[in-house]
Amino acid sequence: MPVRTARGFWSKREGLLVRLEREDGHASFGECAPIPWFGTETVGEAAELCADFDGRVNDVQIDAIPEKYGCLRFAFESARNADAVRLSDSAYLPVAALLPAGRGALDKIGALGDLGFRTFKWKVGVADAREEIALLDDVLAELPSGSQLRLDANGAWSRRDAEHWLAKCADRPIEFLEQPVAADACGADDLLSGLAEDYPTPIALDESIVGASDASRWLESDWPGIFVIKPALLGDARRVINRLPAGRIVFSSALETFVGAGAALRMAFEFYATANINSPRALGFGVWPLFMDKCFDGPPSLPFLRAENVANVNVSELWNALI
Ligand code: MG
């Protein structure tokens, strides 16, 4: 089904599945799921680099994949580490419920709250900023008690709109406001840092973190807010994530199939198994069902995801569905 984004409707998810077969015949899989308008490589560019490997690749070549190909690198990293992660089956992580933009959110909250969701994500920046802000208190009033609301503007706002929203959010239970202004706007980094300093509601970076070097840049500038991490875009994502402040990470979907999402989620479970924090932030993986062919979807969106749901994704079944 088409996904509504700040750039209109996204109806076709293009990507690559990588199958690595060891010399002993053991096969493992990874997914390259680019989002070119975020600034990643395109599927065509990734496919060209794969063609250069000519069917054989070794660890040195994987390590040498340039940062520009972060999505392809993630695919190879996922495949070569597929058997390295051991998860405790009893572990579980909370998931954020996705609300429709605009007034449509009001009709969905009740049922999602009854299911047990306590973190809700509402897309803003879709309609007129003043109209949407007038709905905020209605949305908050619908939430079950103890819930948190995430707002995601996908970079849609001007500085003025962002300030107006942040002033409104200040004394309300807003977990964070994601990407209020566009990552590629003139002076965006300074503007985001200024907003983070001036208002109490945490600001989350999403489109502003495309590759590993973006994550490093924000770390070095002592970014005080949240890091929304789409492992699928981050190349050797494990290395990036391990440098970030554990309490300020949100693991998030790149709208990939369950091949890539399974790898990203195993990474999240692995990360929280050793991170010294009380309550992990809800995963941004409440995205399924997403695909026409259901076999590419992950488990249906429930308030908690169990490690056992992602421990053994039957990827060869998905691979066979493609070929
Ligand atoms: Mg976002």
Side-chain angles (χ1 to χ4, degrees), residues 5-253:
T5 74
R7 295 187 181 233
F9 285 95
W10 186 12
S11 57
K12 195 171 155 197
R13 208 305 163 227
E14 289 186 297
L16 302 173
L17 291 189
V18 167
R19 179 179 182 275
L20 280 187
E21 188 178 319
R22 287 195 314 231
E23 279 165 354
D24 64 5
H26 176 82
S28 57
F29 299 84
E31 178 173 356
C32 168
I35 311 181
W37 58 89
F38 260 60
T40 71
E41 78 266 39
T42 64
V43 174
E45 287 165 340
E48 265 175 45
L49 193 67
C50 281
D52 287 347
F53 291 141
D54 203 19
R56 285 184 81 84
V57 69
N58 59 35
D59 280 328
V60 176
Q61 286 169 301
I62 293 175
D63 292 339
I65 294 175
E67 193 194 324
K68 172 180 161 36
Y69 297 86
C71 302
L72 186 63
R73 174 77 184 265
F74 177 77
F76 279 104
E77 291 291 343
S78 306
R80 75 170 163 182
N81 292 316
D83 304 317
V85 185
R86 289 280 165 264
L87 304 176
S88 142
D89 275 357
S90 59
Y92 61 89
L93 290 170
V95 177
L98 263 187
L99 298 175
R103 185 167 287 279
L106 297 173
D107 304 329
K108 296 282 181 195
I109 295 171
L112 290 165
D114 289 347
L115 274 177
F117 284 102
R118 289 299 177 268
T119 302
F120 296 82
K121 175 167 171 170
W122 188 35
K123 288 270 181 193
V124 288
V126 178
D128 176 78
R130 306 274 155 161
E131 273 172 38
E132 280 178 341
I133 211 168
L135 281 174
L136 178 62
D137 282 335
D138 294 341
V139 170
L140 288 171
E142 286 293 318
L143 299 182
S145 64
S147 296
Q148 297 203 91
L149 184 65
R150 300 175 172 177
L151 303 172
D152 187 356
N154 288 112
W157 290 333
S158 65
R159 173 195 207 118
R160 228 181 115 90
D161 290 336
E163 288 174 344
H164 194 63
W165 268 92
L166 283 161
K168 176 96 172 181
C169 291
D171 49 2
R172 291 171 166 79
I174 307 297
E175 184 188 5
F176 55 74
L177 169 58
E178 193 171 321
Q179 203 71 42
V181 299
D184 57 1
C186 178
D189 287 13
D190 288 343
L191 177 50
L192 287 162
S193 297
L195 292 171
E197 220 167 87
D198 291 348
Y199 295 91
T201 302
I203 294 178
L205 304 172
D206 182 4
E207 286 88 341
S208 286
I209 302 177
V210 181
S213 65
D214 291 325
S216 298
R217 188 179 83 244
W218 286 102
L219 259 182
E220 280 155 22
S221 74
D222 288 327
W223 172 248
I226 310 294
F227 294 81
V228 174
I229 291 302
K230 294 174 165 50
L233 311 186
L234 282 180
D236 186 355
R238 188 173 278 105
R239 208 163 96 184
V240 175
I241 290 160
N242 284 336
R243 295 177 55 211
L244 297 175
R248 290 193 277 130
I249 295 182
V250 174
F251 283 86
S252 188
S253 158

Side-chain angles (χ1 to χ4, degrees), residues 235-313:
D236 186 355
R238 188 173 278 105
R239 208 163 96 184
V240 175
I241 290 160
N242 284 336
R243 295 177 55 211
L244 297 175
R248 290 193 277 130
I249 295 182
V250 174
F251 283 86
S252 188
S253 158
L255 304 184
E256 62 279 75
T257 76
F258 199 31
V259 178
L265 287 165
R266 285 191 293 277
M267 201 175 280
F269 276 102
E270 185 192 22
F271 178 81
Y272 286 121
T274 54
N276 193 17
I277 53 171
N278 291 332
S279 44
R281 290 179 187 271
L283 301 168
F285 275 89
V287 293
W288 296 299
L290 201 57
F291 296 102
M292 299 270 286
D293 186 339
K294 299 285 161 253
C295 77
F296 295 105
D297 283 324
S301 306
L302 291 170
F304 293 94
L305 190 68
R306 300 195 167 275
E308 62 190 353
N309 294 134
V310 298
N312 299 305
V313 185

